[in-house]
Amino acid sequence: VMVTQNARPENVREAMVAGATGYITKPFSRNSILERLTALGCEIHTGSNKPRVLVVDDAAVVRRMLVQRIEADPELELAGVAKDGKSALACVDSECPDIVVLDVEMPGMDGLETLARMRARHHHLPVVMYSVLTERGARATLDALSRGAVDYVTKPQGVNSPEEAAQQIDDELLA
Protein backbone atom coordinates (compact mmCIF):
# COMPACT_ATOMS: atom_id res chain seq x y z
CA VAL A 1 0.00 0.00 0.00
CA MET A 2 1.39 3.38 -1.01
CA VAL A 3 1.11 6.29 1.42
CA THR A 4 1.15 9.65 -0.31
CA GLN A 5 0.60 13.34 0.35
CA ASN A 6 -1.45 13.59 -2.82
CA ALA A 7 -2.81 10.89 -5.08
CA ARG A 8 -1.63 12.16 -8.45
CA PRO A 9 -2.62 9.59 -11.08
CA GLU A 10 0.95 9.17 -12.37
CA ASN A 11 2.23 8.40 -8.84
CA VAL A 12 -0.58 5.94 -8.17
CA ARG A 13 0.06 4.17 -11.52
CA GLU A 14 3.78 3.99 -10.78
CA ALA A 15 3.09 2.53 -7.32
CA MET A 16 0.69 -0.05 -8.76
CA VAL A 17 3.26 -1.08 -11.37
CA ALA A 18 5.79 -1.47 -8.55
CA GLY A 19 3.41 -3.81 -6.72
CA ALA A 20 1.25 -1.63 -4.47
CA THR A 21 -2.31 -2.84 -4.06
CA GLY A 22 -3.74 0.56 -3.21
CA TYR A 23 -2.98 3.94 -1.72
CA ILE A 24 -3.80 6.01 1.34
CA THR A 25 -3.62 9.80 1.33
CA LYS A 26 -1.94 11.71 4.19
CA PRO A 27 -2.92 12.78 6.75
CA PHE A 28 -4.75 9.66 7.86
CA SER A 29 -6.10 8.33 11.11
CA ARG A 30 -5.67 4.84 12.52
CA ASN A 31 -9.30 4.10 11.62
CA SER A 32 -8.98 5.36 8.06
CA ILE A 33 -5.90 3.26 7.41
CA LEU A 34 -7.58 0.16 8.90
CA GLU A 35 -10.69 0.77 6.77
CA ARG A 36 -8.58 1.17 3.62
CA LEU A 37 -6.52 -1.95 4.33
CA THR A 38 -9.69 -3.95 5.03
CA ALA A 39 -11.22 -2.69 1.76
CA LEU A 40 -8.10 -3.91 -0.03
CA GLY A 41 -8.64 -7.38 1.44
CA CYS A 42 -5.87 -7.28 4.04
CA GLU A 43 -6.38 -9.34 7.19
CA ILE A 44 -6.12 -6.96 10.13
CA HIS A 45 -5.32 -7.95 13.71
CA THR A 46 -5.61 -4.79 15.75
CA GLY A 47 -5.50 -6.37 19.20
CA SER A 48 -5.46 -3.64 21.78
CA ASN A 49 -3.91 -0.26 22.30
CA LYS A 50 -1.68 -1.60 25.07
CA PRO A 51 2.09 -1.38 24.63
CA ARG A 52 3.36 -4.63 23.09
CA VAL A 53 6.49 -6.04 24.75
CA LEU A 54 9.05 -8.37 23.19
CA VAL A 55 11.02 -10.42 25.74
CA VAL A 56 14.54 -11.54 24.73
CA ASP A 57 16.53 -13.75 27.10
CA ASP A 58 18.45 -17.01 26.68
CA ALA A 59 17.38 -18.33 30.10
CA ALA A 60 14.03 -20.14 29.93
CA VAL A 61 13.22 -19.44 33.57
CA VAL A 62 13.79 -15.69 33.08
CA ARG A 63 11.69 -15.65 29.90
CA ARG A 64 8.89 -17.50 31.68
CA MET A 65 8.96 -15.13 34.68
CA LEU A 66 8.91 -12.02 32.46
CA VAL A 67 6.10 -13.42 30.33
CA GLN A 68 4.04 -14.19 33.45
CA ARG A 69 4.56 -10.66 34.81
CA ILE A 70 3.70 -9.01 31.48
CA GLU A 71 0.60 -11.17 31.01
CA ALA A 72 -0.50 -10.34 34.57
CA ASP A 73 -0.25 -6.59 33.89
CA PRO A 74 -3.53 -5.32 32.42
CA GLU A 75 -1.75 -2.39 30.78
CA LEU A 76 0.72 -4.50 28.75
CA GLU A 77 0.50 -7.03 25.96
CA LEU A 78 3.09 -9.67 25.10
CA ALA A 79 4.30 -9.18 21.52
CA GLY A 80 6.59 -12.21 21.52
CA VAL A 81 9.46 -14.10 23.09
CA ALA A 82 12.93 -14.78 21.70
CA LYS A 83 15.79 -16.80 23.16
CA ASP A 84 18.63 -15.21 21.21
CA GLY A 85 19.61 -12.17 19.20
CA LYS A 86 18.87 -13.64 15.79
CA SER A 87 15.35 -14.65 16.85
CA ALA A 88 14.87 -11.23 18.45
CA LEU A 89 15.63 -9.43 15.20
CA ALA A 90 13.16 -11.64 13.33
CA CYS A 91 10.50 -11.03 16.01
CA VAL A 92 10.99 -7.27 15.87
CA ASP A 93 10.41 -7.37 12.12
CA SER A 94 7.41 -9.71 12.26
CA GLU A 95 5.68 -8.72 15.52
CA CYS A 96 6.33 -4.94 15.57
CA PRO A 97 6.64 -4.57 19.36
CA ASP A 98 6.38 -1.20 21.05
CA ILE A 99 9.23 -1.98 23.45
CA VAL A 100 11.92 -4.67 23.80
CA VAL A 101 13.31 -6.11 27.04
CA LEU A 102 16.74 -7.43 26.00
CA ASP A 103 19.22 -9.56 27.95
CA VAL A 104 22.85 -8.49 27.67
CA GLU A 105 24.65 -11.83 27.93
CA MET A 106 23.39 -14.41 25.43
CA PRO A 107 25.23 -17.04 23.40
CA GLY A 108 25.91 -16.24 19.78
CA MET A 109 24.81 -12.68 19.16
CA ASP A 110 24.87 -10.94 22.55
CA GLY A 111 22.49 -8.20 23.62
CA LEU A 112 24.79 -5.35 22.64
CA GLU A 113 25.21 -6.65 19.08
CA THR A 114 21.47 -7.32 18.91
CA LEU A 115 20.80 -3.76 20.10
CA ALA A 116 23.12 -2.33 17.44
CA ARG A 117 21.36 -4.29 14.71
CA MET A 118 17.92 -3.30 16.02
CA ARG A 119 18.97 0.34 16.03
CA ALA A 120 20.15 0.08 12.43
CA ARG A 121 16.68 -1.08 11.32
CA HIS A 122 14.34 0.39 13.95
CA HIS A 123 15.80 3.70 15.10
CA HIS A 124 13.08 4.70 17.56
CA LEU A 125 12.13 1.34 19.09
CA PRO A 126 12.65 1.60 22.88
CA VAL A 127 14.95 -1.13 24.21
CA VAL A 128 15.46 -1.81 27.92
CA MET A 129 18.58 -3.83 28.69
CA TYR A 130 17.94 -6.53 31.30
CA SER A 131 20.82 -8.34 32.98
CA VAL A 132 22.53 -9.29 36.20
CA LEU A 133 24.71 -6.34 37.14
CA THR A 134 28.34 -7.44 37.25
CA GLU A 135 31.56 -5.57 36.49
CA ARG A 136 31.06 -6.53 32.85
CA GLY A 137 27.40 -5.59 33.26
CA ALA A 138 28.36 -2.11 34.45
CA ARG A 139 30.48 -1.60 31.32
CA ALA A 140 27.70 -3.11 29.24
CA THR A 141 25.23 -0.66 30.78
CA LEU A 142 27.21 2.33 29.57
CA ASP A 143 27.82 0.70 26.20
CA ALA A 144 24.12 -0.16 25.79
CA LEU A 145 23.00 3.36 26.71
CA SER A 146 25.51 4.84 24.27
CA ARG A 147 24.14 2.51 21.56
CA GLY A 148 20.57 3.70 22.09
CA ALA A 149 19.05 1.64 24.92
CA VAL A 150 16.50 3.71 26.81
CA ASP A 151 17.15 2.10 30.20
CA TYR A 152 18.96 -0.69 32.00
CA VAL A 153 17.31 -2.85 34.68
CA THR A 154 18.94 -5.59 36.74
CA LYS A 155 17.47 -9.07 36.98
CA PRO A 156 16.17 -10.18 40.39
CA GLN A 157 19.00 -11.10 42.75
CA GLY A 158 19.11 -12.35 46.32
CA VAL A 159 15.44 -13.31 46.34
CA ASN A 160 14.11 -16.22 48.36
CA SER A 161 11.02 -17.07 46.36
CA PRO A 162 9.42 -16.74 42.94
CA GLU A 163 6.99 -14.25 44.48
CA GLU A 164 9.87 -12.01 45.59
CA ALA A 165 11.38 -12.23 42.09
CA ALA A 166 7.99 -11.35 40.58
CA GLN A 167 7.65 -8.36 42.90
CA GLN A 168 11.16 -7.17 42.01
CA ILE A 169 10.32 -7.44 38.29
CA ASP A 170 7.10 -5.48 38.84
CA ASP A 171 8.90 -2.80 40.86
CA GLU A 172 12.01 -2.42 38.69
CA LEU A 173 10.92 -3.23 35.15
CA LEU A 174 7.17 -2.81 34.84
CA ALA A 175 6.61 0.15 37.14
Side-chain angles (χ1 to χ4, degrees):
V1 175
M2 176 180 90
V3 178
T4 181
Q5 189 71 31
N6 56 34
R8 292 191 305 239
E10 63 273 12
N11 291 348
V12 172
R13 269 193 304 279
E14 188 176 327
M16 297 300 185
V17 168
T21 56
Y23 67 92
I24 298 171
T25 308
K26 294 179 189 176
F28 53 84
S29 67
R30 181 176 189 271
N31 287 340
S32 67
I33 197 167
L34 292 175
E35 287 172 10
R36 183 68 176 143
L37 292 172
T38 301
L40 292 169
C42 298
E43 188 175 337
I44 306 296
H45 301 281
T46 57
S48 67
N49 290 328
K50 299 184 235 179
R52 301 180 72 241
V53 182
L54 172 63
V55 173
V56 185
D57 201 297
D58 61 311
V61 69
V62 174
R63 288 193 310 268
R64 187 170 41 253
M65 179 72 74
L66 286 172
V67 166
Q68 288 172 348
R69 300 318 308 150
I70 290 166
E71 289 178 338
D73 189 321
E75 298 197 14
L76 297 174
E77 181 178 323
L78 183 67
V81 179
K83 64 180 181 177
D84 58 40
K86 184 177 178 184
S87 299
L89 294 173
C91 283
V92 166
D93 290 339
S94 67
E95 301 303 323
C96 301
D98 298 306
I99 189 165
V100 177
V101 177
L102 178 61
D103 185 16
V104 172
E105 296 180 358
M106 297 183 293
M109 186 187 316
D110 69 7
L112 296 175
E113 177 64 24
T114 303
L115 173 63
R117 292 186 187 195
M118 277 183 194
R119 277 287 160 264
R121 294 170 13 193
H122 305 277
H123 308 291
H124 302 293
L125 177 63
V127 177
V128 176
M129 302 307 290
Y130 191 64
S131 188
V132 174
L133 190 59
T134 62
E135 183 179 329
R136 183 190 180 288
R139 284 191 307 271
T141 300
L142 297 175
D143 197 10
L145 293 171
S146 73
R147 291 182 188 205
V150 295
D151 203 353
Y152 191 97
V153 178
T154 57
K155 292 180 181 179
Q157 300 177 65
V159 294
N160 297 317
S161 70
E163 292 78 21
E164 284 183 40
Q167 187 61 52
Q168 194 173 359
I169 290 169
D170 289 349
D171 293 345
E172 298 294 323
L173 184 63
L174 304 180

